[in-house]
Amino acid sequence: MWRSSLLRSTTCLLQVAAPRFLHQRHVPSLCVRPLTQGLLHRPPCGLELRGTGYFLAHSGTRAFKKDAKSTVELPVSPVTVTDIKQYLRSKDIPFHDGYSCLHTPSIFVEASARRDSCSLFVDKTTGQFLCKDTLVEGSWEDLQDCLEVMQKEEQDFLSPRVLLGYPESLEEQDEMERELREVQRIWSSSVPFSDLPEDEALLVKTMFQITKISNATLKRFAVRLFKPTKSLVFPWFGGPDSSLKGVKLLSAQSTDTDRVTYNEATVPKSNSYYSLFGLPLVGRMDTEVVLTGHELDTLAVSQATGLPSVALPRGVSCLPPMLLPYLEQFKRVTLWLGDDIRSWEASKIFSRKLGLKRCSLVRPGEYRPCPVEALAQGKNFSHIIKSSIPAAHKSIVSFKQLREDVYGELVNTEQVAGVKWGRFPELNRILKGHRKGELTVFTGPTGSGKTTFISEVALDLCMQGVNTLWGSFEINNVRLAKIMLTQFAMQRLEENLEQYDFWADKFEELPLYFMTFHGQQNIKTVLDTMQHAVYLYDINHVIIDNLQFMMGQENLSVDKFAVQDHIIGAFRKFATNSSCHVTLVIHPRKEEDDRELQTASIFGTAKASQEADNVLILQEKKLVTCAGRRSLQVTKNRFDGDVGIFPLDFIKSSLTFAAPIKGKHKLRKLPTKPEDEGGEGSEVEVKKEEVKKEKAAKTKTP
């Protein structure tokens, strides 16, 4: 690729897995089971539908698999919108300011052949560009190089082959061709609803709870049914010729709790799927759009209002920046992403990317469910959209503006508490959940297993769809990934190498990223990388392990405690402004082996504990052997004030922690050292021996 050949000094994010597109809705099955019992089943042998991709079932042989690792280039000195404007002016490139992008005439299309006066979009935040006419895209450095070539060779435009002409590797070409054949096979095998018998069409609609959606609407959006898996098929049409580029399949499965779960799968895989469902139906002159988090919601909005509506490819988990140019034409964007707190939080985050001034948000509530449910209940869509609140707000508000937010938190207490851990119920009992915008400080004795424990805590959340960024400055990424893969598989894969591909495939599906830093780093560079990742991948959780490695390249003439306070304040500000949870690992001060750590044991001043929303301490009784000598103590919980401590057992075979079984383990004190003779421990042993002798004497007496 062009940008690979022109690679400059960069710092990178290492993506271990593509972002997860899993979007599930749970509905009671009592209302649909009588009609759909025969439709709810697992996919046939040889075909597997997963939450984030479309895969052939495992055949027992290890086939070639493309390396999922990729890098995201981040300049050492990130570009600003001022830099971009100044450079374009210096090259006499006309532009006008958009909501999230700068609009310029495309340099890849001859002036006489341009369909739009400004079809090249430059992202204000990253400098990445996209030409909508030719689909040429690249980094800010790529665009600069293209303009330099044009100026040097005195050309009016460049052929798009300059960037598109560099072939992918043979393996990448084979995979792209295989995915394209799979897309065509699924699409040609799927059936339009108008061709289905009326009773079968009704059964399918009942299963997906879209009985109110007409066949005409389904036909207009080209929605089909893939019979082998009883899945709805949503097409992705794109490019200048509006060709079929991919499909998304929505399947339904029954669960053990009398509920129906809807799972999504995409072809091509999720990291290459950038469909805005409904975009081909949007006219060039349309200025208003309703943005939804699901294709079924887009169908409902379009049918009920006639307004243009598009669905995000990854639901509420991510808004890829490369889709922003396609939303630039709209002066008003209404975000109606769902009916829960997570959708509401995503709406507020996405509106920052889209431009606060043009965005309005539909607040979830009893009278404002998700669009497909609102259609089933006969709600007034026009009233709901008109009552949406502006995303932009003033610096000072009254309770009138906060009233609905307060009510929403009272009604949805469980969702407000955050994402629950699956492996640590005791952590849920104390902290209630993992929430965005908070700062957690985690500490523990050297060698107690801080990195191993916090990696499992983060993995637990990542498995539930929390987009996670790891910054491991103490151990390298390969070793950390090995630890997390072992925790994910719950077994030592060194002893089961034949299962490696199976677990690695599942592990790749997690929305997990690693920073490529190792060792001492400058705080500004780390914060720039974190901000870049939040913008590109909508990261919700950042782990920094650990703070001491941040301080190595700072000005040595400054007091180290002052530097540490500055860094903690910067992370606190980042967590709040980016609505991202930051977990900061800090080594404690040196304490005696027989003393438990306290909040005051955290290295540095009191700034860390004051700024933190949560303080966690991994306690370890070093003078005690056997299982159960570790415990986790929560000493600060700003959310509701609950604190506490619970024991942990370390399971070496899976590198995981778990609460010990009651009564199973008894702590045994390690043998005392010779210099401790005559101390408190020896006195206890002497007393025990005296008691034994007295009992023996009593039994001998008649």
Side-chain angles (χ1 to χ4, degrees), residues 9 40-41 68 70 87 103 128 204 271 277 381 417 469 487 505 605 612 662:
S9 175
L40 298 175
H41 66 285
S70 61
Y87 182 83
H103 306 192
Q128 292 180 328
V204 174
N271 60 335
F277 179 74
F381 275 63
L469 175 65
Q487 294 172 334
D505 287 345
T605 67
K662 293 184 178 180

Side-chain angles (χ1 to χ4, degrees), residues 393-428:
H393 57 81
K394 298 179 181 180
S395 298
I396 300 177
V397 295
S398 65
F399 181 72
K400 183 177 182 180
Q401 283 80 41
L402 301 175
R403 178 170 178 161
E404 287 297 321
D405 288 330
V406 174
Y407 179 75
E409 293 207 358
L410 294 175
V411 172
N412 304 285
T413 53
E414 285 298 312
Q415 295 181 27
V416 170
V419 180
K420 303 293 188 293
W421 285 274
R423 300 187 180 188
F424 301 97
E426 289 296 314
L427 208 52
N428 292 329

Side-chain angles (χ1 to χ4, degrees), residues 641-666:
D642 285 354
V643 294
I645 187 171
F646 58 92
L648 292 171
D649 271 354
F650 178 63
I651 306 171
K652 192 172 182 180
S653 61
S654 59
L655 302 180
T656 57
F657 289 83
I661 301 175
K662 293 184 178 180
K664 182 179 179 181
H665 302 297
K666 292 184 178 180

Side-chain angles (χ1 to χ4, degrees), residues 357-524:
K357 293 183 179 179
R358 64 168 173 164
C359 291
S360 58
L361 317 177
V362 175
R363 187 195 307 274
E366 180 182 357
Y367 302 103
R368 294 177 294 275
C370 65
V372 70
E373 293 180 7
L375 183 66
Q377 298 172 15
K379 300 291 184 182
N380 188 330
F381 275 63
S382 298
H383 176 72
I384 293 176
I385 293 174
K386 287 181 180 179
S387 62
S388 59
I389 63 174
H393 57 81
K394 298 179 181 180
S395 298
I396 300 177
V397 295
S398 65
F399 181 72
K400 183 177 182 180
Q401 283 80 41
L402 301 175
R403 178 170 178 161
E404 287 297 321
D405 288 330
V406 174
Y407 179 75
E409 293 207 358
L410 294 175
V411 172
N412 304 285
T413 53
E414 285 298 312
Q415 295 181 27
V416 170
V419 180
K420 303 293 188 293
W421 285 274
R423 300 187 180 188
F424 301 97
E426 289 296 314
L427 208 52
N428 292 329
R429 180 181 62 83
I430 300 174
L431 289 180
K432 306 304 182 292
H434 180 270
R435 294 166 289 276
K436 296 179 181 179
E438 291 190 351
L439 175 66
T440 294
V441 169
F442 177 62
T443 191
T446 301
S448 60
K450 292 190 298 297
T451 299
T452 305
F453 174 76
I454 205 65
S455 67
E456 187 182 8
V457 170
L459 176 65
D460 189 333
L461 297 168
C462 191
M463 290 168 63
Q464 300 179 61
V466 177
N467 300 342
T468 304
L469 175 65
W470 249 100
S472 177
F473 303 90
E474 195 164 359
I475 66 174
N476 61 51
N477 288 326
V478 174
R479 184 180 170 193
L480 178 60
K482 177 185 173 184
I483 292 173
M484 298 185 75
L485 181 60
T486 302
Q487 294 172 334
F488 181 71
M490 302 288 286
Q491 60 178 310
R492 290 279 190 179
L493 293 176
E494 300 96 317
E495 304 168 0
N496 302 280
L497 289 177
E498 70 281 358
Q499 299 184 28
Y500 176 78
D501 284 336
F502 172 79
W503 289 108
D505 287 345
K506 289 182 174 293
F507 191 69
E508 282 183 6
E509 297 177 14
L510 300 179
L512 179 63
Y513 301 82
F514 292 99
M515 285 186 269
T516 57
F517 300 129
H518 184 65
Q520 298 172 350
Q521 294 294 332
N522 181 277
I523 179 61
K524 185 179 185 305

Side-chain angles (χ1 to χ4, degrees), residues 325-350:
Y326 298 100
L327 301 171
E328 280 289 293
Q329 76 178 73
F330 304 109
K331 296 181 179 179
R332 175 181 168 86
V333 179
T334 303
L335 288 89
W336 193 354
L337 299 185
D339 56 359
D340 56 10
I341 291 296
R342 187 184 177 194
S343 302
W344 176 244
E345 291 178 347
S347 298
K348 292 188 284 188
I349 294 172
F350 294 169

Side-chain angles (χ1 to χ4, degrees), residues 167-423:
E168 304 283 354
S169 65
L170 293 177
E171 293 82 2
E172 290 174 330
Q173 287 184 5
D174 291 342
E175 183 167 352
M176 291 173 62
E177 292 173 359
R178 180 186 64 80
E179 289 179 336
L180 186 58
R181 289 194 301 269
E182 195 65 32
V183 169
Q184 295 295 339
R185 187 186 73 82
I186 295 172
W187 186 246
S188 60
S189 302
S190 56
V191 183
F193 272 76
S194 57
D195 295 345
L196 292 174
E198 187 174 345
D199 56 344
E200 183 177 357
L202 180 60
L203 283 174
V204 174
K205 286 185 177 182
T206 303
M207 177 173 63
F208 289 96
Q209 294 191 324
I210 55 172
T211 54
K212 292 293 183 72
I213 301 219
S214 65
N215 286 346
T217 300
L218 295 171
K219 181 178 181 180
R220 192 158 61 92
F221 282 86
V223 179
R224 296 185 177 184
L225 176 69
F226 186 58
K227 287 189 174 183
T229 58
K230 290 293 188 283
S231 303
L232 296 182
V233 181
F234 303 105
W236 171 21
F237 296 112
D241 55 351
S242 297
S243 59
L244 182 66
K245 299 174 68 67
V247 292
K248 177 183 284 190
L249 294 95
L250 181 69
S251 63
Q253 290 184 348
S254 59
T255 64
D256 297 334
T257 57
D258 284 340
R259 299 175 78 86
V260 177
T261 300
Y262 298 132
N263 292 322
E264 296 176 354
T266 61
V267 188
K269 292 182 181 178
S270 54
N271 60 335
S272 303
Y273 191 80
Y274 294 100
S275 169
L276 278 174
F277 179 74
L279 187 65
L281 300 179
V282 175
R284 289 178 176 268
M285 303 304 294
D286 289 328
T287 59
E288 183 177 357
V289 69
V290 178
L291 201 60
T292 71
H294 197 275
E295 286 77 7
L296 296 180
D297 291 334
T298 289
L299 297 176
V301 171
S302 178
Q303 177 173 305
T305 66
L307 292 173
S309 179
V310 297
L312 296 175
R314 311 183 189 184
V316 299
S317 65
C318 182
L319 171 56
M322 69 177 301
L323 297 180
L324 297 178
Y326 298 100
L327 301 171
E328 280 289 293
Q329 76 178 73
F330 304 109
K331 296 181 179 179
R332 175 181 168 86
V333 179
T334 303
L335 288 89
W336 193 354
L337 299 185
D339 56 359
D340 56 10
I341 291 296
R342 187 184 177 194
S343 302
W344 176 244
E345 291 178 347
S347 298
K348 292 188 284 188
I349 294 172
F350 294 169
S351 63
R352 299 175 190 172
K353 290 185 178 182
L354 294 165
L356 292 173
K357 293 183 179 179
R358 64 168 173 164
C359 291
S360 58
L361 317 177
V362 175
R363 187 195 307 274
E366 180 182 357
Y367 302 103
R368 294 177 294 275
C370 65
V372 70
E373 293 180 7
L375 183 66
Q377 298 172 15
K379 300 291 184 182
N380 188 330
F381 275 63
S382 298
H383 176 72
I384 293 176
I385 293 174
K386 287 181 180 179
S387 62
S388 59
I389 63 174
H393 57 81
K394 298 179 181 180
S395 298
I396 300 177
V397 295
S398 65
F399 181 72
K400 183 177 182 180
Q401 283 80 41
L402 301 175
R403 178 170 178 161
E404 287 297 321
D405 288 330
V406 174
Y407 179 75
E409 293 207 358
L410 294 175
V411 172
N412 304 285
T413 53
E414 285 298 312
Q415 295 181 27
V416 170
V419 180
K420 303 293 188 293
W421 285 274
R423 300 187 180 188

Side-chain angles (χ1 to χ4, degrees), residues 554-566:
E554 301 295 337
N555 191 343
L556 297 179
S557 63
V558 180
D559 178 37
K560 62 181 180 180
F561 293 124
V563 174
Q564 177 174 320
D565 290 351
H566 166 71

